[in-house]
């Protein structure tokens, strides 16, 4: 792991300025059907991954203003947004001026969604890779400095799995607006260097970066979040 300046990272070009994007926020809907929510989480790897991250922060740091962006498995962004709307109270759909899907911004998971996800953990129904980074993890505030590192990997074998396929094989339009990332705040710095799944991810991208940012929770308590970002 090599320390670099943020300016040394390869950047993904922005296809459209934010003021040219079309943004639509969905109304809040009520959900009581736990079986339906569980089916969505099992079948939609992106929704499960994002809820898992919110579950982690809710458990470790309490309510916080953490937002997420989704890249979609299909181009049916409006249909997919309706599924997100059953899991989260804040769902915003973004499209280019030509109506092409860019991404979905999500915040405020429903309490019932947390309840369903907790049951999935207990019943061992969470995706293996998502579980590796979330289940049983505690927030590691071990590196308290804003910095950037590049992770190098000599591994040549690419191991296929559904979660990494979702992370690295987004549509080009989605990648052009919001770069993908993976939160690894549950791992210590030395774990990140040795983690087998992170090594597998590094083998599937041309550049893998570890970025450490400072944030505050709802009570104003500072914490340092670790994110993996990459350049395909």
């Amino acid at each position: 792991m090599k320390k670099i300046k943020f300016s040394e990272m390869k950047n993904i070009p922005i296809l459209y300025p934010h003021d040219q994007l079309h943004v639509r926020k969905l109304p809040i809907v009520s959900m009581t059907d736990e079986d339906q929510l569980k089916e969505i989480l099992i079948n939609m790897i992106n929704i499960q991954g994002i809820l898992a991250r919110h579950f982690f922060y809710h458990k470790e740091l309490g309510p916080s203003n953490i937002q997420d962006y989704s890249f979609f498995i299909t181009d049916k962004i409006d249909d997919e947004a309706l599924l997100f709307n059953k899991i989260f109270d804040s769902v915003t759909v973004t499209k280019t001026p030509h109506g092409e899907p860019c991404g979905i911004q999500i915040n405020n998971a429903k309490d019932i969604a947390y309840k369903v996800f907790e049951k999935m953990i207990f019943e061992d129904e969470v995706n293996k890779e998502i579980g590796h980074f979330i289940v049983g993890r505690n927030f590691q505030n071990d590196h308290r400095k804003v910095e950037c590192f590049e992770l190098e990997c000599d591994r040549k074998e690419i191991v296929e799995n559904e979660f990494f396929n979702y992370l690295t094989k987004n549509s080009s339009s989605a990648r052009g607006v919001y770069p993908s990332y993976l939160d690894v705040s549950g791992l210590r710095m030395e774990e990140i260097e040795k983690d087998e799944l992170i090594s597998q991810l590094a083998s599937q991208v041309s550049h893998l970066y570890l970025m450490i940012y400072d944030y505050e929770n709802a009570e104003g308590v500072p914490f340092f979040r670790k994110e993996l970002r990459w350049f395909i």
Side-chain angles (χ1 to χ4, degrees), residues 133-230:
F133 293 108
I134 296 296
V135 176
R137 296 281 184 185
N138 299 113
F139 192 92
Q140 303 295 329
N141 219 11
D142 59 313
H143 192 91
R144 300 179 59 81
K145 189 175 181 181
V146 177
E147 286 186 318
C148 182
F149 301 86
E150 183 163 9
L151 285 76
E152 299 174 326
C153 178
D154 296 329
R155 184 189 188 96
K156 295 181 179 179
E157 178 188 1
I158 294 180
V159 179
E160 292 282 340
N161 67 66
E162 183 185 12
F163 186 56
F164 284 172
N165 283 345
Y166 154 64
L167 291 177
T168 62
K169 298 178 180 178
N170 306 312
S171 69
S172 59
S173 61
R175 277 206 308 275
V177 180
Y178 302 122
S180 304
Y181 64 90
L182 176 62
D183 197 306
V184 290
S185 299
L187 282 73
R188 298 183 67 83
M189 294 293 286
E190 59 266 25
E191 291 180 277
I192 291 172
E193 283 196 278
K194 300 175 182 178
D195 188 85
E196 179 64 22
L197 281 181
I198 292 177
S199 178
Q200 290 178 16
L201 177 60
S203 72
Q204 299 184 44
V205 298
S206 60
H207 296 275
L208 180 64
Y209 304 103
L210 171 65
M211 306 172 71
I212 303 173
Y213 295 110
D214 57 330
Y215 291 86
E216 291 184 352
N217 67 6
E219 287 73 40
V221 178
F223 62 93
F224 286 78
R225 195 170 85 198
K226 304 187 192 84
E227 292 180 359
L228 294 179
R229 290 184 180 262
W230 49 86

Side-chain angles (χ1 to χ4, degrees), residues 27-29 47 50-52 54 68 83-91 106-110 113-114:
I28 297 175
V29 299
I47 298 179
I50 290 173
L51 178 63
H54 281 248
D68 274 293
L83 298 179
F84 271 104
N85 210 27
K86 296 177 186 295
I87 307 292
F88 298 88
D89 282 335
S90 178
V91 179
I106 309 102
N107 202 1
N108 302 330
K110 301 179 188 295
Y114 285 140

Side-chain angles (χ1 to χ4, degrees), residues 54-68:
H54 281 248
F55 178 88
F56 172 77
Y57 276 92
H58 188 81
K59 173 176 70 74
E60 292 295 300
L61 300 174
S64 59
N65 190 29
I66 297 292
Q67 293 183 336
D68 274 293

